[in-house]
Amino acid sequence: MATLSLPQQDTYDTIVIGAGIQGSFAAYHLAQRRRDVLLLEQFLLPHSRGSSHGQSRITRSAYAQDHYARMMPDSFRLWQQLEAEAGISLYRCTGLVALGPVGDPELEGCRRNLGAGAILDAAALGQRFPGLRLHAGEVALWDSTAGVLFADRALRAVQDVFRRHGGTLRDGEKVLRIEPGAMLTVTTKAGVYRARRLIITAGAWTGALLAPLGLHLPLQPLRIDVCYWREKESGSPGPCFMALGLSQAPHGIYGLPSLEYPGLVKVCYHHGSPTDPEERDQVPPGAPRPDVTLLSSFISSYLPGLEPQPAVVETCLYTNTPDEDFILDRHPKFSNIVIGAGFSGHGFKLAPVVGKLLCELSLGEEPSHSMAPFAITRFPGVLRAAL
């Protein structure tokens, strides 16, 4: 008689759902505290279905919002700690130019948080970075701390160190059901797991996991066009940059030296089209891409050293909140369920701090940064009867 294959059953101190950069760092911090942690990922690793793939992300101190500016020194320190533990380099310092109209509120906030000496006029910018062009009535700021994070390498590194600390990572296990309680039960397609604590960091799939638990957060997945533009003449890599307050690009534009494709520059619009994460790649051939048209116009005007049509166009996911601030909080009804969501396209650089905060929340500790900007209560009416 054939032996029946029973689903795996295990008990852990904490389960983390979603092994992107945020969930991986939450699991890493818990494992460092000698907690028995299971990190679950629905796709086989590595994959490009979420928001943590690719070779590069910008990191920077230039933030208009004080709460993020205060978190960045901690983030830089924790990235360096991971580099030391993993024994590999995860960051290249390039600096960053922030440009936009004089008096733009977001640019002014960046200037305030960067401090004296950050302003570059058109002459200074042209001398240091001739590939970037300013226009009348515009100003540039210089962030010397900024640079490029090696995204894929960083994700592998934090997962490797997590396992080295005794953590368990299971990929290819989609979560089918979460049963709350003093001991939570998480059922996947391959097993049934129990834990006292649960952290949900499932990116664009977070809403679907929370709805059966009676929580309907205002999370909007967006499909982002990730564009790479060819240099007309090859030269040394320039700095990262971001353009704020431009009328033709109200959500901002950012760019960085391309690691993925030598000789190209990665330039993207900080916004996209609403999408179902299960159907992100189902874009009909020849469908209009208004964001690419917007970027072509920007490049012709501000980056004349690049060809005005992209050489490569890929896609990525943002999961946005209405105010583009993160959600880092406990479930209003089930206090042993912690949620990290809505990173709105600017969470990767802050992942070491986010992971630490999610760890602290799950353990009932005093968070190391103010959680007020990230509270669920800023969105009224999100708690409803569970299905």
Side-chain angles (χ1 to χ4, degrees):
M1 186 174 177
T3 303
L4 294 177
S5 178
L6 297 176
Q8 174 138 359
Q9 299 193 42
D10 283 311
T11 300
Y12 295 86
D13 179 77
T14 306
I15 296 172
V16 180
I17 300 175
I21 196 67
Q22 312 295 348
S24 294
F25 261 112
Y28 158 91
H29 283 288
L30 284 162
Q32 282 192 319
R33 308 283 196 90
R34 302 186 182 281
R35 307 291 170 165
D36 190 19
V37 184
L38 171 64
L39 178 58
L40 290 171
E41 170 55 48
Q42 65 173 319
F43 302 114
L44 292 172
L45 294 169
H47 69 83
S48 59
R49 297 288 300 276
S51 302
S52 296
H53 65 281
Q55 292 189 40
S56 57
R57 294 292 189 280
I58 293 175
T59 187
R60 55 186 164 96
S61 298
Y63 256 111
Q65 302 92 333
D66 291 344
H67 47 280
Y68 295 121
R70 285 193 291 265
M71 291 164 71
M72 279 309 303
D74 199 11
S75 189
F76 277 113
R77 180 184 62 80
L78 289 168
W79 279 118
Q80 291 167 356
Q81 177 181 304
L82 177 61
E83 282 187 317
E85 286 186 274
I88 57 173
S89 172
L90 300 175
Y91 165 72
R92 178 191 298 165
C93 186
T94 66
L96 174 139
V97 174
L99 58 91
V102 173
D104 174 73
E106 191 172 2
L107 205 62
E108 279 298 302
C110 291
R111 184 194 59 76
R112 183 182 64 250
N113 285 323
L114 285 173
I119 295 176
L120 296 174
D121 60 21
L125 180 69
Q127 184 175 10
R128 292 179 64 176
F129 307 113
L132 276 169
R133 181 178 290 168
L134 273 184
H135 298 274
E138 295 177 346
V139 69
L141 306 177
W142 175 242
D143 177 355
S144 62
T145 70
V148 178
L149 286 167
F150 307 144
D152 280 346
R153 190 188 300 181
L155 185 61
R156 286 194 302 271
V158 70
Q159 291 170 355
D160 288 347
V161 175
F162 161 69
R163 283 187 290 232
R164 201 184 306 157
H165 283 296
T168 302
L169 172 57
R170 298 193 190 279
D171 61 351
E173 290 204 31
K174 184 178 179 67
V175 172
L176 305 177
R177 186 168 63 255
I178 299 168
E179 298 168 53
M183 281 295 287
L184 300 126
T185 302
V186 176
T187 301
T188 75
K189 69 177 188 178
V192 179
Y193 308 102
R194 291 166 59 80
R196 291 192 293 272
R197 304 175 181 88
L198 175 66
I199 298 176
I200 299 176
T201 51
W205 289 266
T206 298
L209 288 173
L210 290 175
L213 301 174
L215 191 58
H216 297 261
L217 296 176
L219 298 171
Q220 177 61 69
L222 299 176
R223 185 183 65 249
I224 307 299
D225 290 318
V226 181
C227 302
Y228 300 84
W229 312 76
R230 192 176 307 281
E231 296 174 313
K232 293 177 180 177
E233 296 181 10
S234 60
S236 58
C240 300
F241 71 87
M242 58 183 185
L244 307 171
L246 302 180
S247 59
Q248 70 269 37
H251 297 281
I253 291 172
Y254 63 91
L256 59 158
S258 171
L259 304 178
E260 294 91 330
Y261 304 104
L264 304 185
V265 178
K266 184 176 179 180
V267 184
C268 305
Y269 186 40
H270 191 57
H271 197 62
S273 308
T275 190
D276 179 335
E278 297 291 351
E279 301 176 357
R280 183 197 78 180
D281 296 324
Q282 298 177 20
V283 181
R289 292 184 180 263
D291 297 346
V292 177
T293 303
L294 180 154
L295 287 169
S296 292
S297 175
F298 171 84
I299 282 169
S300 295
S301 184
Y302 287 87
L303 297 163
L306 301 183
E307 297 288 350
Q309 295 300 321
V312 179
V313 180
E314 299 174 339
T315 56
C316 188
L317 281 176
Y318 283 7
T319 304
N320 279 33
T321 61
D323 57 12
E324 297 191 10
D325 277 329
F326 309 159
I327 294 171
L328 308 174
D329 206 349
R330 297 182 182 90
H331 190 293
K333 187 176 179 182
F334 308 114
S335 61
N336 60 344
I337 299 178
V338 171
I339 300 149
F343 295 100
S344 304
H346 65 109
F348 200 102
K349 70 182 77 63
L350 285 154
V353 181
V354 166
K356 183 171 74 166
L357 291 170
L358 294 173
C359 167
E360 291 164 348
L361 281 175
S362 73
L363 296 176
E365 299 176 354
E366 182 69 24
S368 49
H369 294 272
S370 170
M371 303 304 288
F374 314 119
I376 289 174
T377 52
R378 71 188 198 269
F379 304 118
V382 296
L383 189 62
R384 307 172 200 167
L387 298 177

